[in-house]
Amino acid sequence: MTTPALPPPPDLLDGATQRFRRADRFAYHYARGKLGGDVIFAELLRQGLLPATPRLLDLGCGQGSLFAWLLAAAELHAAGRWPADWPTPPAPVQMRGIELMPRDVWRAAQAFGGAHPQVRVEQGDMNHVDFGQCDVITILDALHYFDHERQREVLMRIRKALAPGGRFITRVGDAASGLPFRLSNWVDHAVTFTRGHRLPRLYCRPLAGWKALLTDVGFDVRSQSMSGRLPFANVLLVCDMRPRPADAPAGHAAPEVSEALA
Ligand SMILES: C[S@@+](CC[C@H](N)C(=O)[O-])C[C@H]1O[C@@H](n2cnc3c(N)ncnc32)[C@H](O)[C@@H]1O
């Protein structure tokens, strides 16, 4: 029998979502549904998957729900209202988001205003924007919106943008999982459409394909199911950088990234 996961601190959802009232009704209700209903946000904190003070880059960040969640967690912790049995939440020194949809960028601007100089959400396409240097990069449910060749290119650029010891965290669908995958794809189409996109073509892979690609690009990959109670095929991939040859201590050759990827 598995032990049920501890629920997130009760004030966290309110703290994270109130700021979206400054934008529009959609922003607030979307944040409540997303942060309250999607298990990934609690798991990032419960499992302590982020380092203490990272420079964080979230690609396809939407209205910045992840940033609001992390800010609220850090605020609760600073106020002494963080549960003792959860790891200390991270206090990112930089939270930069890249988002395609101008409306979401506007919502983020309303929600964060100038009150949090460490938060910046920019309108742009992750296929073209310079990633700079960071410690953690996330892509939550957005890699499958562009084709396989561009996925590989983005992942290679992520690998280059991460400082030594950096981590890439992503969630993907497992195209080999049958009905749960078809269901999550159907919901993805519907939600994407209501958010103002045209019905997109989605570029999916079986879990084994995602892992092989990420390993080839230069990551050590751990996976875990991340659908919560929903009958989906969502998988969290925690990808830690394998040292580049230049990072390895003398006499300890690091595994090579394949010629084709370098
Ligand atoms: C399913 S939503 C997830 C939003 C956010 N990651 C979250 O968890 O709330 C995917 C987001 O990726 C954005 N997106 C898709 N392709 C993108 C691209 N090439 N560059 C930047 N953002 C992109 C979409 O506009 C959408 O906001």
Side-chain angles (χ1 to χ4, degrees):
M1 204 169 100
T2 53
T3 318
L6 294 168
D11 301 341
L12 185 52
L13 183 61
D14 284 344
T17 55
Q18 286 306 323
R19 67 180 64 252
F20 289 104
R21 285 190 187 279
R22 295 181 211 132
D24 53 20
R25 282 170 61 86
F26 178 92
Y28 175 70
H29 290 290
Y30 177 83
R32 301 256 355 147
K34 186 77 182 168
L35 294 172
D38 188 336
V39 68
I40 193 171
F41 296 99
E43 287 305 304
L44 287 173
L45 295 174
R46 197 181 62 80
Q47 297 185 32
L49 292 176
L50 302 177
T53 56
R55 291 165 296 172
L56 169 64
L57 174 65
D58 188 21
L59 299 171
C61 66
Q63 63 183 17
S65 303
L66 173 62
F67 299 158
W69 183 252
L70 297 179
L71 276 177
E75 282 164 9
L76 279 182
H77 182 261
R81 293 192 286 132
W82 192 251
D85 42 9
W86 278 48
T88 301
V93 292
Q94 177 182 301
M95 290 187 258
R96 178 180 174 220
I98 307 295
E99 169 54 44
L100 208 51
M101 299 294 281
R103 188 75 192 166
D104 278 330
V105 176
W106 176 84
R107 289 182 178 121
Q110 304 309 303
F112 298 104
H116 301 285
Q118 74 274 43
V119 179
R120 196 169 84 234
V121 173
E122 301 163 24
Q123 195 277 325
D125 182 335
M126 72 175 94
N127 290 285
H128 304 300
V129 169
D130 184 354
F131 296 161
Q133 275 278 293
C134 17
D135 305 300
V136 177
I137 300 182
T138 47
I139 301 185
L140 306 183
D141 312 317
L143 254 178
H144 57 308
Y145 288 118
F146 43 88
D147 64 51
H148 288 169
E149 196 182 324
R150 286 190 295 161
Q151 288 171 359
R152 180 178 283 268
E153 281 165 14
V154 162
L155 294 174
M156 287 168 58
R157 289 173 51 232
I158 285 173
R159 174 74 172 73
K160 282 196 181 130
L162 284 169
R167 175 170 278 182
F168 172 52
I169 298 175
T170 190
R171 185 167 62 181
V172 295
D174 177 4
S177 82
L179 183 62
F181 175 71
R182 287 202 296 281
L183 258 177
S184 47
N185 242 7
W186 185 87
V187 171
D188 199 353
H189 268 111
V191 172
T192 307
F193 187 68
T194 57
R195 287 166 59 87
H197 290 271
R198 283 170 298 158
L199 275 184
R201 174 163 174 208
L202 301 177
Y203 298 87
C204 307
R205 301 171 187 260
L207 177 58
W210 286 114
K211 286 171 115 173
L213 172 62
L214 284 155
T215 303
D216 203 23
V217 168
F219 290 106
D220 289 328
V221 186
R222 283 182 286 140
S223 64
Q224 57 179 287
S225 171
M226 196 53 65
S227 302
R229 294 191 181 146
L230 300 172
F232 291 166
N234 293 335
V235 182
L236 178 72
L237 300 173
V238 179
C239 311
D240 289 321
M241 284 173 68
R242 283 200 306 273
R244 285 175 276 239
D247 302 332
H252 293 78
E256 289 281 354
V257 175
S258 74
E259 285 289 330
L261 295 168

